[in-house]
Amino acid sequence: MTRISRRTLLTAGSVGALTLTGCLDADTAEEGDPPGDDTGGSGDEDVTYDVFQLGPSLSRPDWAAGDAETVGAVGLFESEREVRTIATVDEVDELEAWLEDTDFDESAILLVETVGPNTCYDELEVSDVGISPVSVGDESDAVAAITGTATAVDTSDETTVCGEAITYPSALVRVTGGDLPPMAAFEITNGWGDTGDVDTIGGAVDPDALPGYVRPPTDPQTVPDALDCEDDDFRRHWSSDDDVAWGEVHDEDGGPALAMRVQNPQYDGDDVTRALEFERGDEVRVSMRNVSDEQVYTGNGNKYGLEVLTADGWTDVRGTTDDFGFEYTDEALGHAPGDGFEWTFELTADGVVGDHANADRLEVCPDFPAGRYRFAFRGALGDASLAVAFDFVG
């Protein structure tokens, strides 16, 4: 039986950003003759699996920014839509066809990542995949999980020049079998030979226990006219559709997946209306948390709008005169249960653009008016943006 500590669950269960570029090689097990031990060692049920090598990335994923002892990460996907949240599938050679061959009624796909000391560590060797009981912390009851091992592999030969850069190889593992459990736990060895257990198991966060509020309980007192910038070259940042998800988005089974709240650090009372009133120069704090018991994937934290409700509808107060417009990357971030994003900004023209990836090209025009404001994150699950609201009283 594999034993995984509660500390491991809280610090290593998050898969980070996955940036896919170039041509990637597929490593596929033949049906009936898979590589390694297909029964997963101590697994009680047989499974088959095949591996699609995603290759290396030089971008540090989210899991690698935390505990220095974390050797990698694993994520589990039970639908094609979930897989497409971590990769632009049609831009990766052969991945589209590989994904189309997956029957999600019988299969699940794992994403496994680790790290190596140089660019020659560009593949993972995956073995011993099966279904095994996994014990969580000090709990006596074990849960079934898809288990296996993965090791960073140096694929160089005597003619290869290895780049001196920390590298993050990753692979997709398609696991096929009857009654697959919705959890995964892998033993991962990185390029330095360090081995550790990572998993997708964790405890759900109660959305009602999160600090902050979703939106004011009353209609807005002020609705300004449509925003009009005097600079003819000014192009306004996109705004989310009117049909947003207020405060929470749900998974395919209807359970809560992500929750968002807005807080007012300047106010310590319990009046909701007062708590959601901000003045110029005040700090606004918005947080989003994974409130499910599984990993949840989102877009990067820059994909949000800061919008005011005008006579012409919800309109972002920010925009640009830059010819390049607004550029956002397609990587996905994995959030373990309880993890997520936090955005903090000051209600000034400079403050609302200061920490954004496009801060050097964003500006506010005209000066933002009093009214009802909406923070809408476009990278959440589903088609609707995840949003909270507050009032700016000037």
Side-chain angles (χ1 to χ4, degrees):
M1 178 186 297
T2 303
R3 180 167 293 276
I4 300 174
S5 69
R6 176 63 64 182
R7 181 170 181 272
T8 299
L9 298 183
L10 296 179
T11 61
S14 175
V15 175
L18 175 62
T19 305
L20 303 179
T21 58
C23 290
L24 304 177
D25 296 329
D27 178 13
T28 306
E30 295 294 335
E31 190 71 29
D33 186 25
D37 179 6
D38 247 328
T39 62
S42 60
D44 296 326
E45 300 180 45
D46 289 347
V47 299
T48 59
Y49 65 97
D50 57 294
V51 180
F52 190 102
Q53 298 289 346
L54 292 174
S57 172
L58 297 180
S59 298
R60 185 177 68 175
D62 194 45
W63 58 262
D67 190 341
E69 297 180 358
T70 302
V71 297
V74 61
L76 187 149
F77 307 91
E78 297 178 302
S79 71
E80 181 176 334
R81 180 184 63 83
E82 291 178 339
V83 177
R84 291 181 182 276
T85 65
I86 66 161
T88 307
V89 173
D90 57 359
E91 295 182 3
V92 181
D93 286 354
E94 302 182 42
L95 182 54
E96 182 80 51
W98 188 83
L99 185 59
E100 289 178 354
D101 286 340
T102 304
D103 181 355
F104 283 97
D105 290 333
E106 299 180 354
S107 302
I109 290 179
L110 308 181
L111 167 65
V112 187
E113 290 183 291
T114 188
V115 59
N118 59 60
T119 59
C120 288
Y121 284 86
D122 57 4
E123 290 189 2
L124 294 179
E125 180 181 336
V126 178
S127 61
D128 299 329
V129 177
I131 300 176
S132 304
V134 176
S135 179
V136 179
D138 296 328
E139 298 174 10
S140 58
D141 294 335
V143 297
I146 301 172
T147 57
T149 63
T151 303
V153 176
D154 181 343
T155 62
S156 64
D157 56 29
E158 63 275 5
T159 65
T160 306
V161 177
C162 300
E164 295 183 0
I166 301 298
T167 304
Y168 301 91
S170 58
L172 295 176
V173 183
R174 179 168 53 204
V175 183
T176 302
D179 236 1
L180 295 175
M183 302 177 185
F186 259 58
E187 182 182 86
I188 295 179
T189 302
N190 65 22
W192 289 272
D194 301 322
T195 299
D197 295 319
V198 298
D199 62 88
T200 64
I201 308 166
V205 176
D206 183 1
D208 293 336
L210 296 175
Y213 302 94
V214 175
R215 53 177 167 169
T218 60
D219 291 335
Q221 298 297 308
T222 302
V223 178
D225 293 336
L227 301 185
D228 183 20
C229 182
E230 294 181 355
D231 191 333
D232 292 337
D233 294 327
F234 184 82
R235 290 178 293 156
R236 198 161 295 283
H237 191 276
W238 47 257
S239 294
S240 298
D241 295 333
D242 289 340
D243 186 20
V244 299
W246 288 107
E248 290 182 15
V249 292
H250 297 82
D251 59 26
E252 292 180 333
D253 297 325
L258 295 168
M260 179 178 284
R261 300 292 185 266
V262 57
Q263 299 176 64
N264 185 345
Q266 290 79 210
Y267 179 74
D268 59 4
D270 55 8
D271 184 300
V272 178
T273 300
R274 177 65 187 87
L276 293 178
E277 290 180 347
F278 293 81
E279 299 179 354
R280 188 175 301 275
D282 280 352
E283 180 182 284
V284 180
R285 185 177 302 158
V286 178
S287 60
M288 183 193 74
R289 293 289 178 263
N290 174 3
V291 293
S292 75
D293 59 2
E294 299 178 355
Q295 292 189 56
V296 174
Y297 291 82
T298 71
N300 70 66
N302 292 298
K303 294 182 176 180
Y304 66 83
L306 183 61
E307 307 157 4
V308 60
L309 180 60
T310 73
D312 198 31
W314 290 102
T315 306
D316 202 303
V317 297
R318 306 162 305 159
T320 185
T321 57
D322 193 293
D323 292 337
F324 292 101
F326 313 105
E327 298 177 352
Y328 296 99
T329 54
D330 288 331
E331 78 261 75
L333 296 178
H335 307 284
D339 288 344
F341 289 137
E342 183 168 298
W343 299 268
T344 301
F345 53 90
E346 184 182 90
L347 280 175
T348 63
D350 291 335
V352 298
V353 301
D355 292 332
H356 195 276
N358 292 319
D360 59 340
R361 66 189 64 164
L362 283 174
E363 59 182 288
V364 174
C365 186
D367 192 16
F368 46 87
R372 176 68 48 86
Y373 279 72
R374 182 174 79 174
F375 183 98
F377 177 55
R378 200 171 185 174
L381 293 174
D383 297 328
S385 296
L386 179 58
V388 291
F390 59 90
D391 287 326
F392 173 58
V393 297

